[in-house]
Amino acid sequence: MDYTAGLDAALNRLHEEGRYRTFIDIERRKGAFPKAIWTRPDGTKKEITVWCGNDYLGMGQHPVVLSAMHEAIDAAGAGSGGTRNISGTTVYHKALEAELADLHRKEAALVFTSAYIANDATLSTLPKLFPGLIIYSDELNHASMIEGIRRNGGSKRIFRHNDVAHLRAMLEADDPKAPKLIAFESVYSMDGDFGPIEAILDLADEFNALTYIDEVHAVGMYGPRGAGVAERDGLMGRIDIINGTLAKAFGVFGGYIAASAKMCDAIRSYAPGFIFTTSLPPAVAAGAAASVRHLKTDQALRDLHQTQARILKMRLKGMGLPIIDHGSHIVPVIVGDPVHTKKLSDMLLEDFGIYVQPINFPTVPRGTERLRFTPSPVHGPDEMDKLVKAMDQLWSHCALNRAELSA
């Protein structure tokens, strides 16, 4: 077999479909977020504004976080030195897990190297703990949840997105004695819509099912202490396992689950993705703990974040751009064609110094390709004015449809 030809064919398919992804080389500047320096392919540099970052609150440059990281690296050095079981559990990891358990009002928390690994490792391990487990998964769950459920060797059911009636029908069709778990998200990141948490929890109570919620795009940003949408809605205590990230609103790196002490103990004891992975560097754990601790009391930052999102959506709607608005902080603008989406992204970057990554299939369904904006408290009025004017100009230049989508 000509392996090089096989690689060429696979890559050419992506180019032909307009789905080939390119890296944008940027250097974030502490104290200047959301400004960054873009290094073009020819080596020249240009100042840009990042509009698609997941550091939703700008905590990646917060003095409290940076101070904690400096102190930890001066005290403990760079790496952790091992897996959690072999020399890689430090006082910083234990302090972070205590902060997370307190945040979610759970008995314990378990930190992983990413929320992807936390989802994959936990969901693939649960059937080992509950033989015969059936997992009911929302069809738009994140790839990490899908992968964990796919590889776990157990039974799975996929219910239509946010369709509680469909979920009920599936639960009713299965053996009432079989162990069950419902896996879903609080905020779905591509459309920015919310999961029907209370209705799902009611079904879980009725059918004696465990519940697993991914709050990755909500922790830090929703709820009186930033524990997520379930906290905001007064439902957190009814959920068995909560997944979250330290790499988005908390501005650092890593992921976690929060649950009962026995659940965390079982996952850490059985999950290969936890057992065989080197733990987070102490400085990262220290910075994440400081961020979690700070955001428990910084409601003003959360309020400003939501205000920024509302303003951007209102202004884009006012120009008739086809945005999806479900009331969250995520602002998707539908283009509907991969080639046009990439072209818009390229023009925004080169001509206006605005960086927003195109979102294409398979991340979103074909025909719903989009630009996904994530406004933050560190985006000032000048940056927003520049973005809105650029979008208006380019939308006209490309003769794109201005019919508004309904939420």
Side-chain angles (χ1 to χ4, degrees):
M1 177 176 179
D2 186 341
Y3 294 104
T4 299
L7 295 174
D8 288 339
L11 292 171
N12 285 337
R13 285 196 299 272
L14 295 178
H15 282 289
E16 289 167 2
E17 295 173 13
R19 297 196 294 116
Y20 181 77
R21 291 175 168 90
T22 57
F23 290 145
I24 305 298
D25 298 334
I26 65 171
E27 180 184 351
R28 303 211 308 164
R29 295 293 179 89
K30 181 189 72 173
F33 293 3
K35 298 293 186 183
I37 301 298
W38 169 42
T39 301
R40 293 184 176 96
D42 64 5
T44 60
K45 296 181 182 294
K46 178 183 179 71
E47 184 178 81
I48 62 171
T49 301
V50 178
W51 274 98
C52 57
N54 284 334
D55 186 355
Y56 288 129
L57 301 177
M59 291 301 292
Q61 66 178 356
H62 198 287
V64 168
V65 175
L66 301 185
S67 176
M69 295 185 75
H70 281 297
E71 290 178 12
I73 201 167
D74 288 341
S80 68
T83 67
R84 288 293 298 274
N85 289 321
I86 306 176
S87 81
T89 295
T90 70
V91 294
Y92 301 100
H93 298 87
K94 299 302 290 185
L96 173 56
E97 287 173 343
E99 286 289 350
L100 292 167
D102 173 76
L103 175 67
H104 291 290
R105 306 299 192 194
K106 298 296 184 187
E107 292 178 342
L110 195 62
V111 171
F112 295 76
T113 49
S114 72
Y116 187 108
I117 297 298
N119 271 333
D120 184 15
T122 303
L123 288 167
S124 63
T125 298
L126 287 169
K128 300 175 186 176
L129 308 177
F130 307 104
L133 180 70
I134 303 171
I135 297 183
Y136 304 81
S137 176
D138 188 290
E139 67 177 345
L140 293 189
N141 277 342
H142 190 265
S144 58
M145 302 173 76
I146 294 169
E147 182 65 14
I149 295 168
R150 184 188 66 80
R151 329 189 274 109
N152 67 24
S155 298
K156 65 178 183 291
R157 311 281 187 264
I158 311 301
F159 61 92
R160 290 187 292 271
H161 179 53
N162 283 349
D163 190 334
V164 179
H166 191 212
L167 173 58
R168 169 180 282 281
M170 289 184 162
L171 289 162
E172 289 175 339
D174 282 322
D175 183 354
K177 296 180 181 179
K180 301 173 177 66
L181 179 137
I182 306 170
F184 60 105
E185 299 186 35
S186 63
V187 179
Y188 290 85
S189 63
M190 287 302 108
D191 284 353
D193 56 329
F194 295 94
I197 301 175
E198 186 170 18
I200 289 175
L201 295 178
D202 289 343
L203 279 182
D205 290 343
E206 182 180 346
F207 290 91
N208 191 30
L210 294 170
T211 48
Y212 185 106
I213 190 170
D214 180 310
E215 289 257 35
V216 159
H217 290 276
V219 289
M221 296 170 281
Y222 295 86
R225 299 201 312 153
V229 178
E231 183 196 32
R232 181 198 69 181
D233 296 347
L235 301 168
M236 191 165 60
R238 297 176 59 190
I239 298 170
D240 295 294
I241 305 173
I242 298 171
N243 169 276
T245 185
L246 305 167
K248 291 184 170 60
F250 293 126
V252 191
F253 182 76
Y256 64 89
I257 61 168
S260 69
K262 286 185 178 180
M263 181 68 77
C264 289
D265 192 20
I267 296 298
R268 79 166 185 88
S269 299
Y270 280 88
F274 179 86
I275 295 169
F276 298 105
T277 300
T278 298
S279 64
L280 291 178
V284 171
S291 185
V292 172
R293 191 179 310 117
H294 174 85
L295 285 176
K296 288 175 182 177
T297 60
D298 197 343
Q299 185 60 40
L301 192 61
R302 278 189 283 279
D303 290 342
L304 180 56
H305 181 223
Q306 293 294 323
T307 297
Q308 291 287 79
R310 284 194 296 270
I311 291 172
L312 180 58
K313 285 186 283 190
M314 177 184 68
R315 295 188 65 177
L316 294 177
K317 282 181 181 179
M319 298 189 302
L321 267 61
I323 80 165
I324 300 176
D325 183 6
H326 289 284
S328 74
H329 60 283
I330 293 168
V331 185
V333 180
I334 302 299
V335 180
D337 176 89
V339 175
H340 291 162
T341 307
K342 179 66 166 61
K343 184 64 175 176
L344 278 171
S345 174
D346 290 344
M347 289 190 292
L348 283 167
L349 184 63
E350 185 63 55
D351 299 340
F352 298 93
I354 292 169
Y355 173 38
V356 56
Q357 190 73 7
I359 308 293
N360 294 326
F361 178 85
T363 307
V364 295
R366 297 181 193 274
T368 69
E369 292 83 4
R370 67 198 62 187
L371 300 174
R372 176 181 170 275
F373 297 94
T374 53
S376 76
V378 296
H379 285 97
D382 290 342
E383 282 94 3
M384 192 172 296
D385 283 344
K386 186 176 180 181
L387 170 64
V388 170
K389 290 175 182 176
M391 288 292 288
D392 188 28
Q393 181 176 329
L394 290 180
W395 218 258
S396 295
H397 174 76
C398 296
L400 296 172
N401 183 10
R402 288 185 184 255
E404 182 181 332
L405 294 181
S406 59

